[in-house]
Coordinates of all heavy atoms in Angstrom, one line a residue:
M1 N -4.3 -4.6 -5.4 CA -3.3 -4.6 -4.4 C -1.9 -4.9 -5.0 O -0.9 -4.4 -4.5 CB -3.7 -5.8 -3.4 CG -3.9 -5.4 -1.9 SD -3.9 -3.8 -1.5 CE -2.5 -3.7 -0.4
K2 N -1.9 -5.7 -6.0 CA -0.6 -6.1 -6.6 C 0.1 -4.8 -7.1 O 1.3 -4.6 -7.0 CB -0.7 -7.1 -7.7 CG 0.6 -7.5 -8.3 CD 0.4 -8.5 -9.4 CE 1.7 -9.0 -10.1 NZ 2.8 -8.1 -10.2
E3 N -0.7 -3.9 -7.8 CA -0.1 -2.7 -8.3 C 0.5 -1.8 -7.2 O 1.5 -1.3 -7.3 CB -1.2 -1.9 -9.0 CG -1.6 -2.5 -10.4 CD -2.7 -1.7 -11.0 OE1 -2.4 -0.5 -11.3 OE2 -3.8 -2.2 -11.3
I4 N -0.2 -1.7 -6.1 CA 0.2 -0.9 -5.0 C 1.5 -1.6 -4.3 O 2.4 -0.9 -4.0 CB -0.9 -0.7 -3.9 CG1 -1.9 0.2 -4.5 CG2 -0.3 -0.1 -2.6 CD1 -3.2 0.4 -3.7
R5 N 1.5 -2.9 -4.2 CA 2.7 -3.6 -3.6 C 3.9 -3.4 -4.5 O 5.0 -3.1 -4.0 CB 2.4 -5.1 -3.4 CG 1.9 -5.4 -2.0 CD 1.7 -6.9 -1.9 NE 0.5 -7.1 -2.6 CZ 0.0 -8.3 -3.0 NH1 0.6 -9.3 -2.7 NH2 -1.1 -8.4 -3.6
D6 N 3.7 -3.5 -5.8 CA 4.8 -3.3 -6.8 C 5.3 -1.9 -6.7 O 6.5 -1.7 -6.7 CB 4.3 -3.6 -8.2 CG 4.1 -5.0 -8.5 OD1 4.5 -5.9 -7.6 OD2 3.4 -5.3 -9.5
L7 N 4.4 -0.9 -6.6 CA 4.8 0.5 -6.4 C 5.6 0.7 -5.1 O 6.6 1.4 -5.1 CB 3.6 1.4 -6.5 CG 3.8 2.9 -6.5 CD1 4.6 3.3 -7.7 CD2 2.5 3.6 -6.4
K8 N 5.1 0.1 -4.0 CA 5.8 0.3 -2.8 C 7.2 -0.4 -2.8 O 8.1 0.1 -2.2 CB 5.0 -0.3 -1.6 CG 3.8 0.7 -1.3 CD 3.0 0.2 -0.1 CE 1.9 1.1 0.2 NZ 1.2 0.9 1.4
S9 N 7.3 -1.5 -3.5 CA 8.6 -2.2 -3.7 C 9.5 -1.3 -4.4 O 10.7 -1.1 -4.1 CB 8.4 -3.5 -4.4 OG 9.6 -4.1 -4.6
Q10 N 9.1 -0.7 -5.5 CA 9.9 0.3 -6.3 C 10.3 1.4 -5.4 O 11.5 1.9 -5.5 CB 9.1 0.8 -7.5 CG 8.9 -0.2 -8.6 CD 8.0 0.3 -9.6 OE1 7.6 1.5 -9.7 NE2 7.6 -0.6 -10.6
K11 N 9.4 1.9 -4.6 CA 9.7 3.1 -3.7 C 10.8 2.7 -2.7 O 11.7 3.5 -2.5 CB 8.4 3.5 -3.0 CG 8.6 4.7 -2.1 CD 7.3 5.0 -1.4 CE 7.4 6.2 -0.4 NZ 6.2 6.5 0.2
S12 N 10.7 1.5 -2.1 CA 11.7 1.2 -1.1 C 13.0 0.9 -1.8 O 14.0 1.3 -1.2 CB 11.2 -0.1 -0.3 OG 11.1 -1.2 -1.1
R13 N 13.1 0.4 -2.9 CA 14.3 0.2 -3.6 C 14.9 1.5 -4.0 O 16.1 1.8 -3.8 CB 14.2 -0.6 -4.9 CG 14.0 -2.1 -4.6 CD 14.1 -2.9 -5.9 NE 13.2 -2.4 -7.0 CZ 12.1 -3.0 -7.4 NH1 11.8 -4.1 -6.8 NH2 11.4 -2.5 -8.3
G14 N 14.1 2.5 -4.4 CA 14.6 3.8 -4.8 C 15.1 4.6 -3.6 O 16.1 5.3 -3.6
A15 N 14.3 4.4 -2.4 CA 14.7 5.1 -1.2 C 16.0 4.6 -0.7 O 16.8 5.4 -0.2 CB 13.6 4.9 -0.1
G16 N 16.3 3.4 -0.8 CA 17.6 2.8 -0.4 C 18.8 3.4 -1.2 O 19.8 3.7 -0.7
Q17 N 18.5 3.7 -2.5 CA 19.6 4.3 -3.3 C 19.8 5.7 -3.0 O 20.9 6.2 -2.9 CB 19.2 4.2 -4.8 CG 19.1 2.8 -5.3 CD 18.5 2.7 -6.7 OE1 18.0 3.6 -7.3 NE2 18.5 1.5 -7.2
V18 N 18.7 6.4 -2.6 CA 18.8 7.8 -2.3 C 19.6 8.0 -1.0 O 20.4 8.9 -0.8 CB 17.4 8.5 -2.2 CG1 17.5 9.9 -1.7 CG2 16.8 8.5 -3.6
R19 N 19.3 7.2 0.0 CA 19.9 7.4 1.3 C 21.4 7.2 1.3 O 22.1 7.8 2.1 CB 19.3 6.3 2.3 CG 18.0 6.7 2.8 CD 17.5 5.7 3.9 NE 16.1 5.6 3.9 CZ 15.4 4.5 3.7 NH1 16.0 3.4 3.5 NH2 14.1 4.6 3.7
G20 N 21.9 6.4 0.4 CA 23.3 6.1 0.4 C 24.2 7.3 0.0 O 25.2 7.5 0.6
N21 N 23.8 8.1 -0.9 CA 24.6 9.2 -1.3 C 23.6 10.4 -1.7 O 22.8 10.2 -2.6 CB 25.5 8.8 -2.5 CG 26.4 9.9 -3.0 OD1 26.3 11.0 -2.5 ND2 27.2 9.5 -3.9
S22 N 23.8 11.5 -1.1 CA 22.9 12.6 -1.4 C 23.0 13.1 -2.8 O 22.1 13.7 -3.4 CB 23.1 13.8 -0.4 OG 24.4 14.3 -0.5
N23 N 24.2 12.8 -3.5 CA 24.4 13.3 -4.8 C 23.7 12.3 -5.8 O 23.6 12.6 -7.0 CB 25.9 13.3 -5.2 CG 26.5 14.4 -4.4 OD1 25.9 15.4 -4.0 ND2 27.8 14.2 -4.0
S24 N 23.2 11.2 -5.4 CA 22.6 10.2 -6.3 C 21.1 10.4 -6.4 O 20.5 9.5 -7.0 CB 22.9 8.8 -5.8 OG 22.2 8.5 -4.6
F25 N 20.5 11.4 -5.9 CA 19.1 11.6 -6.0 C 18.7 11.8 -7.5 O 19.3 12.5 -8.2 CB 18.7 12.9 -5.2 CG 17.2 13.2 -5.3 CD1 16.3 12.4 -4.5 CD2 16.7 14.1 -6.2 CE1 15.0 12.6 -4.6 CE2 15.3 14.3 -6.3 CZ 14.5 13.6 -5.5
R26 N 17.6 11.0 -7.8 CA 17.1 11.1 -9.1 C 15.6 11.4 -9.0 O 14.9 10.8 -8.1 CB 17.3 9.8 -9.9 CG 18.7 9.5 -10.2 CD 18.9 8.3 -11.1 NE 18.1 7.2 -10.7 CZ 18.6 6.1 -10.1 NH1 19.8 6.0 -9.8 NH2 17.8 5.1 -9.8
P27 N 15.0 12.3 -9.8 CA 13.6 12.6 -9.7 C 12.7 11.4 -9.7 O 11.6 11.4 -9.1 CB 13.3 13.5 -10.9 CG 14.6 14.1 -11.2 CD 15.7 13.1 -10.8
G28 N 13.0 10.3 -10.4 CA 12.2 9.1 -10.5 C 12.1 8.4 -9.1 O 11.2 7.6 -8.9
N29 N 13.0 8.7 -8.2 CA 13.0 8.1 -6.9 C 12.3 9.0 -5.8 O 12.3 8.7 -4.7 CB 14.4 7.9 -6.4 CG 15.1 6.8 -7.2 OD1 14.4 6.0 -7.8 ND2 16.4 6.8 -7.2
D30 N 11.7 10.0 -6.3 CA 11.0 11.0 -5.4 C 9.8 10.3 -4.7 O 8.9 9.8 -5.3 CB 10.5 12.2 -6.2 CG 9.9 13.3 -5.3 OD1 10.1 13.2 -4.1 OD2 9.3 14.2 -5.9
A31 N 9.9 10.3 -3.3 CA 8.8 9.7 -2.5 C 7.5 10.3 -2.8 O 6.5 9.5 -2.8 CB 9.2 9.8 -1.1
I32 N 7.4 11.5 -3.1 CA 6.1 12.2 -3.3 C 5.5 11.7 -4.6 O 4.3 11.5 -4.7 CB 6.3 13.7 -3.3 CG1 6.6 14.2 -1.9 CG2 5.0 14.4 -3.8 CD1 7.0 15.6 -1.8
S33 N 6.4 11.5 -5.6 CA 5.8 11.0 -6.9 C 5.3 9.6 -6.8 O 4.3 9.2 -7.4 CB 6.9 11.1 -8.0 OG 7.9 10.2 -7.8
F34 N 6.0 8.7 -5.9 CA 5.4 7.4 -5.7 C 4.1 7.5 -4.9 O 3.2 6.7 -5.2 CB 6.4 6.6 -4.8 CG 7.6 6.0 -5.7 CD1 8.9 6.5 -5.5 CD2 7.3 5.0 -6.6 CE1 9.9 6.0 -6.2 CE2 8.4 4.4 -7.3 CZ 9.7 4.9 -7.1
D35 N 4.0 8.4 -4.0 CA 2.8 8.5 -3.2 C 1.7 9.0 -4.2 O 0.5 8.6 -4.0 CB 2.9 9.5 -2.1 CG 3.8 9.0 -1.0 OD1 4.1 7.8 -0.9 OD2 4.3 9.8 -0.1
A36 N 2.0 9.9 -5.1 CA 1.0 10.4 -6.0 C 0.5 9.2 -6.9 O -0.7 9.1 -7.2 CB 1.6 11.5 -6.9
K37 N 1.4 8.4 -7.3 CA 1.1 7.2 -8.2 C 0.1 6.3 -7.4 O -0.8 5.8 -7.9 CB 2.3 6.5 -8.6 CG 3.1 7.2 -9.7 CD 4.3 6.5 -10.1 CE 5.2 7.3 -11.0 NZ 6.5 6.6 -11.3
E38 N 0.4 6.1 -6.1 CA -0.4 5.2 -5.2 C -1.8 5.8 -5.1 O -2.8 5.1 -5.2 CB 0.2 5.1 -3.8 CG -0.6 4.2 -2.9 CD 0.1 4.0 -1.6 OE1 1.2 4.4 -1.3 OE2 -0.6 3.3 -0.7
V39 N -1.9 7.1 -4.9 CA -3.2 7.8 -4.8 C -4.0 7.6 -6.1 O -5.2 7.3 -6.1 CB -3.1 9.3 -4.4 CG1 -4.3 10.0 -4.6 CG2 -2.6 9.4 -3.0
E40 N -3.3 7.7 -7.2 CA -3.9 7.6 -8.6 C -4.4 6.2 -8.7 O -5.6 6.0 -9.2 CB -2.9 8.0 -9.7 CG -3.6 8.0 -11.0 CD -4.8 9.0 -11.1 OE1 -4.7 10.1 -10.5 OE2 -5.7 8.6 -11.8
I41 N -3.7 5.2 -8.3 CA -4.1 3.8 -8.4 C -5.4 3.6 -7.6 O -6.4 3.0 -8.0 CB -3.0 2.8 -8.0 CG1 -1.9 2.8 -9.0 CG2 -3.6 1.4 -7.8 CD1 -0.6 2.1 -8.5
K42 N -5.4 4.1 -6.4 CA -6.5 4.0 -5.5 C -7.7 4.7 -6.0 O -8.9 4.2 -5.9 CB -6.2 4.5 -4.1 CG -5.3 3.6 -3.3 CD -4.9 4.1 -1.9 CE -4.1 3.2 -1.2 NZ -3.8 3.7 0.2
R43 N -7.6 5.9 -6.6 CA -8.7 6.6 -7.2 C -9.3 5.8 -8.4 O -10.5 5.7 -8.5 CB -8.2 8.0 -7.8 CG -8.1 9.0 -6.7 CD -7.8 10.4 -7.4 NE -7.6 11.4 -6.3 CZ -6.9 12.4 -6.4 NH1 -6.2 12.6 -7.5 NH2 -6.8 13.3 -5.4
N44 N -8.4 5.2 -9.2 CA -8.9 4.4 -10.3 C -9.7 3.2 -9.8 O -10.8 3.0 -10.3 CB -7.7 4.0 -11.1 CG -8.1 3.2 -12.3 OD1 -9.1 3.4 -12.9 ND2 -7.2 2.3 -12.7
Y45 N -9.2 2.5 -8.8 CA -10.0 1.4 -8.3 C -11.2 1.8 -7.6 O -12.2 1.1 -7.6 CB -9.1 0.5 -7.5 CG -8.2 -0.4 -8.4 CD1 -6.9 -0.1 -8.7 CD2 -8.8 -1.6 -8.9 CE1 -6.2 -0.9 -9.5 CE2 -8.0 -2.4 -9.8 CZ -6.7 -2.1 -10.1 OH -6.0 -2.9 -10.9
R46 N -11.2 2.9 -6.8 CA -12.4 3.4 -6.1 C -13.5 3.6 -7.1 O -14.6 3.3 -6.9 CB -12.1 4.6 -5.3 CG -13.3 5.1 -4.5 CD -13.0 6.3 -3.7 NE -12.7 7.4 -4.7 CZ -12.3 8.6 -4.3 NH1 -12.1 8.9 -3.0 NH2 -12.1 9.5 -5.2
S47 N -13.1 4.2 -8.3 CA -14.1 4.5 -9.3 C -14.7 3.2 -9.8 O -15.9 3.1 -10.0 CB -13.4 5.3 -10.4 OG -14.3 5.4 -11.5
K48 N -13.9 2.2 -10.1 CA -14.4 0.9 -10.5 C -15.2 0.2 -9.5 O -16.2 -0.4 -9.8 CB -13.2 0.0 -10.9 CG -12.4 0.5 -12.2 CD -11.3 -0.4 -12.5 CE -10.5 0.1 -13.7 NZ -9.4 -0.8 -14.0
F49 N -14.8 0.3 -8.2 CA -15.5 -0.3 -7.1 C -16.9 0.3 -6.9 O -17.9 -0.3 -6.6 CB -14.8 -0.3 -5.8 CG -13.5 -1.1 -5.8 CD1 -12.5 -0.8 -4.8 CD2 -13.2 -2.1 -6.7 CE1 -11.3 -1.5 -4.7 CE2 -12.0 -2.8 -6.6 CZ -11.1 -2.5 -5.6
S50 N -16.9 1.6 -7.1 CA -18.2 2.3 -6.9 C -19.3 1.9 -7.9 O -20.5 2.0 -7.5 CB -18.0 3.9 -6.9 OG -17.7 4.3 -8.2
D51 N -18.9 1.5 -9.1 CA -19.9 1.0 -10.0 C -20.5 -0.3 -9.5 O -21.7 -0.6 -9.8 CB -19.2 0.7 -11.4 CG -18.7 1.9 -12.1 OD1 -19.2 3.0 -11.7 OD2 -17.9 1.8 -13.0
V52 N -19.8 -1.1 -8.7 CA -20.3 -2.3 -8.2 C -20.9 -2.2 -6.8 O -22.0 -2.7 -6.6 CB -19.1 -3.4 -8.1 CG1 -19.6 -4.7 -7.6 CG2 -18.5 -3.6 -9.5
V53 N -20.3 -1.6 -5.8 CA -20.7 -1.5 -4.5 C -21.3 -0.2 -4.0 O -21.7 -0.1 -2.9 CB -19.6 -2.0 -3.5 CG1 -19.2 -3.4 -3.8 CG2 -18.5 -1.1 -3.5
G54 N -21.2 0.8 -4.8 CA -21.7 2.1 -4.5 C -20.5 3.0 -4.0 O -19.5 2.5 -3.5
A55 N -20.7 4.3 -4.1 CA -19.6 5.3 -3.8 C -19.2 5.2 -2.3 O -18.0 5.3 -2.0 CB -20.1 6.7 -4.2
S56 N -20.2 5.1 -1.4 CA -19.8 5.1 0.0 C -18.9 4.0 0.4 O -17.9 4.1 1.0 CB -21.1 5.1 0.8 OG -20.8 5.1 2.2
R57 N -19.3 2.8 0.0 CA -18.5 1.6 0.3 C -17.2 1.6 -0.4 O -16.2 1.1 0.1 CB -19.3 0.3 0.0 CG -20.4 0.1 1.0 CD -21.0 -1.3 0.8 NE -21.9 -1.6 1.9 CZ -22.7 -2.6 1.9 NH1 -22.7 -3.5 0.9 NH2 -23.6 -2.8 2.9
A58 N -17.2 2.1 -1.6 CA -15.9 2.1 -2.4 C -14.9 3.0 -1.7 O -13.7 2.7 -1.7 CB -16.2 2.6 -3.8
S59 N -15.4 4.1 -1.1 CA -14.5 5.0 -0.4 C -13.9 4.4 0.8 O -12.8 4.8 1.2 CB -15.2 6.3 -0.1 OG -15.6 7.0 -1.2
Q60 N -14.6 3.5 1.4 CA -14.2 2.9 2.7 C -13.2 1.7 2.4 O -12.5 1.2 3.3 CB -15.4 2.4 3.5 CG -16.3 3.4 4.0 CD -17.5 2.8 4.6 OE1 -17.8 1.6 4.5 NE2 -18.3 3.7 5.3
F61 N -13.2 1.2 1.2 CA -12.5 -0.1 0.9 C -11.1 -0.1 1.4 O -10.7 -1.0 2.1 CB -12.5 -0.4 -0.6 CG -11.7 -1.6 -0.9 CD1 -12.2 -2.8 -0.7 CD2 -10.4 -1.4 -1.4 CE1 -11.5 -4.0 -1.1 CE2 -9.7 -2.6 -1.8 CZ -10.2 -3.8 -1.6
F62 N -10.2 0.9 1.1 CA -8.8 0.8 1.4 C -8.5 0.9 2.9 O -7.6 0.3 3.4 CB -8.0 1.9 0.6 CG -8.0 1.6 -0.9 CD1 -8.8 2.3 -1.8 CD2 -7.2 0.6 -1.4 CE1 -8.8 2.0 -3.1 CE2 -7.2 0.3 -2.8 CZ -8.0 1.0 -3.6
S63 N -9.3 1.7 3.6 CA -9.1 1.8 5.0 C -9.5 0.5 5.7 O -8.9 0.0 6.6 CB -9.8 3.0 5.6 OG -11.2 2.9 5.5
V64 N -10.7 -0.1 5.3 CA -11.1 -1.3 5.9 C -10.1 -2.4 5.5 O -9.8 -3.3 6.4 CB -12.5 -1.7 5.4 CG1 -12.9 -3.1 5.8 CG2 -13.5 -0.7 5.9
E65 N -9.6 -2.4 4.4 CA -8.6 -3.4 4.0 C -7.4 -3.3 4.8 O -6.9 -4.4 5.3 CB -8.3 -3.3 2.5 CG -7.2 -4.3 2.0 CD -6.8 -4.0 0.6 OE1 -6.6 -2.9 0.3 OE2 -6.6 -5.0 -0.1
Q66 N -6.9 -2.1 5.1 CA -5.7 -1.9 5.9 C -6.0 -2.4 7.4 O -5.1 -3.1 8.0 CB -5.3 -0.5 5.9 CG -4.0 -0.2 6.7 CD -2.8 -1.0 6.1 OE1 -2.7 -1.1 4.9 NE2 -2.0 -1.5 7.0
E67 N -7.1 -2.1 7.9 CA -7.5 -2.6 9.2 C -7.5 -4.1 9.3 O -7.1 -4.8 10.2 CB -8.9 -2.1 9.6 CG -8.9 -0.6 9.9 CD -10.4 -0.1 10.2 OE1 -11.2 -0.9 10.5 OE2 -10.6 1.1 10.0
F68 N -8.0 -4.8 8.2 CA -8.1 -6.2 8.1 C -6.7 -6.8 8.1 O -6.4 -7.8 8.8 CB -8.9 -6.7 6.9 CG -9.0 -8.1 6.7 CD1 -9.7 -8.9 7.6 CD2 -8.3 -8.8 5.7 CE1 -9.8 -10.3 7.4 CE2 -8.4 -10.1 5.5 CZ -9.1 -10.9 6.4
I69 N -5.8 -6.2 7.3 CA -4.4 -6.7 7.2 C -3.7 -6.6 8.6 O -3.0 -7.5 9.0 CB -3.7 -6.0 6.1 CG1 -4.2 -6.4 4.8 CG2 -2.2 -6.2 6.2 CD1 -3.7 -5.5 3.6
E70 N -3.9 -5.5 9.3 CA -3.3 -5.3 10.6 C -3.9 -6.3 11.6 O -3.1 -6.8 12.4 CB -3.6 -3.9 11.1 CG -2.8 -2.8 10.3 CD -3.2 -1.4 10.6 OE1 -4.0 -1.2 11.5 OE2 -2.6 -0.5 10.0
L71 N -5.2 -6.6 11.5 CA -5.8 -7.6 12.4 C -5.2 -9.0 12.1 O -4.9 -9.7 13.1 CB -7.3 -7.6 12.2 CG -8.1 -8.6 13.0 CD1 -8.0 -8.3 14.5 CD2 -9.5 -8.7 12.6
L72 N -5.0 -9.4 10.9 CA -4.4 -10.6 10.5 C -3.0 -10.7 11.0 O -2.6 -11.8 11.6 CB -4.4 -10.8 9.0 CG -5.7 -11.2 8.4 CD1 -5.6 -11.3 6.8 CD2 -6.3 -12.5 8.9
Y73 N -2.2 -9.7 10.9 CA -0.9 -9.6 11.3 C -0.8 -9.8 12.9 O 0.0 -10.5 13.4 CB -0.2 -8.4 10.9 CG 1.3 -8.3 11.3 CD1 2.2 -9.1 10.6 CD2 1.7 -7.4 12.3 CE1 3.6 -9.1 11.0 CE2 3.1 -7.4 12.6 CZ 4.0 -8.2 12.0 OH 5.3 -8.2 12.3
K74 N -1.7 -9.1 13.6 CA -1.7 -9.2 15.0 C -2.1 -10.6 15.5 O -1.4 -11.2 16.4 CB -2.7 -8.2 15.6 CG -2.8 -8.2 17.1 CD -3.9 -7.3 17.6 CE -4.1 -7.3 19.1 NZ -4.4 -8.5 19.7
E75 N -3.0 -11.2 14.8 CA -3.4 -12.6 15.1 C -2.3 -13.6 14.9 O -2.0 -14.5 15.6 CB -4.7 -13.0 14.3 CG -5.2 -14.3 14.6 CD -5.8 -14.5 15.9 OE1 -6.3 -13.5 16.5 OE2 -5.9 -15.6 16.4
Y76 N -1.6 -13.4 13.8 CA -0.4 -14.2 13.4 C 0.6 -14.1 14.5 O 1.2 -15.1 15.0 CB 0.1 -13.8 12.1 CG 1.4 -14.4 11.7 CD1 1.5 -15.7 11.3 CD2 2.6 -13.7 11.8 CE1 2.7 -16.3 11.1 CE2 3.8 -14.2 11.5 CZ 3.9 -15.6 11.1 OH 5.1 -16.1 10.9
K77 N 0.9 -12.9 14.9 CA 1.9 -12.7 16.0 C 1.5 -13.3 17.3 O 2.3 -14.0 18.0 CB 2.2 -11.2 16.2 CG 3.1 -10.6 15.1 CD 3.3 -9.1 15.3 CE 3.7 -8.7 16.6 NZ 4.0 -7.2 16.8
D78 N 0.2 -13.2 17.7 CA -0.3 -13.8 18.9 C -0.2 -15.3 18.8 O 0.2 -15.9 19.8 CB -1.7 -13.4 19.1 CG -1.9 -11.9 19.5 OD1 -0.9 -11.2 19.8 OD2 -3.0 -11.4 19.5
R79 N -0.5 -15.9 17.7 CA -0.4 -17.3 17.6 C 1.0 -17.8 17.6 O 1.3 -18.9 18.2 CB -1.1 -17.8 16.3 CG -2.6 -17.7 16.4 CD -3.3 -18.3 15.2 NE -4.7 -18.1 15.3 CZ -5.6 -18.7 14.4 NH1 -5.1 -19.5 13.5 NH2 -6.8 -18.5 14.6
K80 N 1.9 -17.1 17.0 CA 3.3 -17.4 17.0 C 3.9 -17.4 18.3 O 4.7 -18.3 18.7 CB 4.0 -16.5 16.0 CG 5.4 -16.8 15.8 CD 6.1 -15.9 14.8 CE 7.5 -16.2 14.5 NZ 8.1 -15.3 13.6
H81 N 3.5 -16.5 19.2 CA 4.0 -16.4 20.5 C 3.4 -17.5 21.5 O 4.1 -17.8 22.5 CB 3.8 -15.0 21.1 CG 4.7 -14.0 20.5 ND1 4.2 -12.7 20.2 CD2 6.0 -14.0 20.2 CE1 5.2 -12.0 19.7 NE2 6.3 -12.8 19.6
K82 N 2.3 -17.9 21.2 CA 1.6 -19.0 22.0 C 2.3 -20.3 21.8 O 2.3 -21.2 22.6 CB 0.1 -19.1 21.7 CG -0.6 -17.9 22.3 CD -2.1 -18.1 21.9 CE -2.9 -16.9 22.5 NZ -4.3 -17.0 22.2
N83 N 2.9 -20.5 20.6 CA 3.5 -21.8 20.2 C 4.9 -21.8 20.6 O 5.8 -21.6 20.9 CB 3.4 -22.1 18.8 CG 2.0 -22.4 18.4 OD1 1.2 -22.9 19.2 ND2 1.6 -22.1 17.2

């Protein structure tokens, strides 16, 4: 997760630079290349996970993890509004 968060942070910093001036576009800031790196990270970890939990569960990991994070965020917001 840390690798993906770091990559997304780099992507958002790069996107902010690109939006400011269309002449400042640099290939290193290309959103597609960041997405490709994220997919490569996920493939690498899915391969490692499949050795431990099996291919089927390893393939589900990232979607289940995202659902869990969204559930936690929703619960946090609900509790914050109750107080």
Side-chain angles (χ1 to χ4, degrees):
M1 237 11 242
K2 182 180 180 329
E3 288 180 60
I4 291 174
R5 266 183 283 168
D6 290 346
L7 185 64
K8 287 184 179 188
S9 175
Q10 290 173 7
K11 180 180 177 180
S12 66
R13 284 193 307 255
Q17 294 170 357
V18 172
R19 284 187 205 122
N21 181 355
S22 62
N23 294 331
S24 68
F25 179 79
R26 295 188 313 256
N29 291 338
D30 184 13
I32 294 173
S33 66
F34 280 110
D35 292 344
K37 288 177 187 175
E38 182 178 354
V39 167
E40 187 58 36
I41 290 169
K42 287 180 177 183
R43 280 187 183 150
N44 183 31
Y45 280 97
R46 183 182 63 188
S47 174
K48 291 177 181 181
F49 294 161
S50 67
D51 292 342
V52 177
V53 297
S56 176
R57 286 189 175 172
S59 294
Q60 295 173 348
F61 174 80
F62 292 104
S63 62
V64 170
E65 180 187 38
Q66 184 61 38
E67 290 174 20
F68 179 69
I69 290 170
E70 290 170 6
L71 179 67
L72 286 177
Y73 184 70
K74 181 183 179 302
E75 183 68 25
Y76 170 76
K77 284 176 53 177
D78 291 345
R79 287 184 183 193
K80 188 175 178 182
H81 288 140
K82 287 180 182 179
N83 292 330

